[in-house]
Amino acid sequence: MPRDHRPAKSVRLLLAEDQGMLRGALAMLLGMEPDMEVVAQVGRGDEITPKALEVRPDVALLDIELPGRSGLDAAAELRDEVPECRVLILTTFGRPGYLRRAMEAGAVGFLVKDGPVEELARAIRRVLTGETVIDPALAAAALSAGPSPLTVRERDVLNAAVDGATVADIAGAVHLSESTVRNYLSSAIGKTGTRNRMEAVRAARRQGWL
């Protein structure tokens, strides 16, 4: 069972942010809080779980768009591998679809980066008491937008349809036949109300569905 999330001493934090200057500044500011200690910093998404297994943080602050692996995928892995760690998503991209996916991945907080560090510190303390902390404006937008209309397979083919990838390229990447890929692309284009696959990719990304 996960241990109590109210440590007797300082709160142990793991930071995942690919911009080194921002990561360092955030670590310094949070480290000035009397009840917090930054015990690990990583710049890649695929470094999050190994580092968390090593240092056992109380809270992991994860960006979403990271090299190697997204913060959302890492959040889901932390839920299974380090269940005592509370995950708080801290991102520049306040997209409704990202919020829904973060909650599905087990995150207990979702804040945008432009808030004051004092607000972030309060959010960390709140999630340790069992609360879920979500940026109010983003919560309202997510409720208004509704769930993603895309299936898992439709998301897969859109994710693979980048940088001028052909249908054959996409089929090889997602291990489907070319005719099946065309069907998924056509469905995704219809659901996003766009004219072609690249518009569909851009629209889905704006909503946070990819």
Side-chain angles (χ1 to χ4, degrees):
M1 292 293 293
R3 58 183 170 81
D4 192 331
H5 294 302
R6 286 168 291 184
K9 297 182 180 179
S10 59
V11 181
R12 295 168 56 81
L13 304 175
L14 179 150
L15 303 183
E17 163 61 56
D18 62 334
Q19 297 183 39
M21 187 175 294
L22 177 58
R23 185 173 67 245
L26 188 58
M28 181 183 69
L29 290 170
L30 288 173
M32 295 172 65
E33 296 292 322
D35 57 343
M36 296 182 186
E37 177 187 6
V38 177
V39 296
Q41 301 179 45
V42 299
R44 294 179 54 88
D46 49 11
E47 296 174 344
I48 292 171
T49 299
K51 182 58 70 172
L53 286 167
E54 176 187 338
V55 303
R56 295 286 171 174
D58 299 299
V59 178
L61 304 177
L62 310 183
D63 192 6
I64 291 179
E65 297 192 354
L66 294 167
R69 190 171 203 186
S70 80
L72 298 176
D73 290 337
E77 190 172 61
L78 285 177
R79 177 188 56 199
D80 297 331
E81 299 292 329
V82 194
E84 71 271 21
C85 177
R86 312 288 279 176
V87 173
L88 200 161
I89 300 294
L90 185 63
T91 182
T92 303
F93 305 100
R95 297 168 181 166
Y98 279 166
L99 172 57
R100 288 181 177 274
R101 290 168 60 195
M103 297 299 105
E104 290 170 0
V108 294
F110 196 107
L111 297 175
V112 292
K113 291 179 182 177
D114 59 2
V117 71
E118 293 82 6
E119 180 180 322
L120 175 57
R122 284 194 297 271
I124 291 169
R125 296 182 186 104
R126 288 172 62 190
V127 301
L128 285 170
T129 68
E131 290 187 56
T132 297
V133 181
I134 300 172
D135 178 87
L138 184 58
L143 287 173
S144 175
S148 168
L150 301 175
T151 67
V152 172
R153 278 305 197 181
E154 287 164 355
R155 291 203 308 266
D156 288 342
V157 297
L158 286 183
N159 274 317
V162 294
D163 300 327
T166 66
V167 169
D169 294 333
I170 298 169
V174 298
H175 308 294
L176 294 172
S177 70
E178 292 184 26
S179 61
T180 301
V181 166
R182 288 191 183 93
N183 289 338
Y184 281 132
L185 285 172
S186 177
S187 178
I189 289 167
K191 288 179 179 180
T192 54
T194 54
R195 296 172 297 180
N196 56 57
R197 74 182 73 163
M198 294 315 300
E199 286 187 8
V201 168
R202 287 193 290 270
R205 284 181 172 168
R206 280 197 303 270
Q207 291 295 328
W209 296 337
L210 297 183

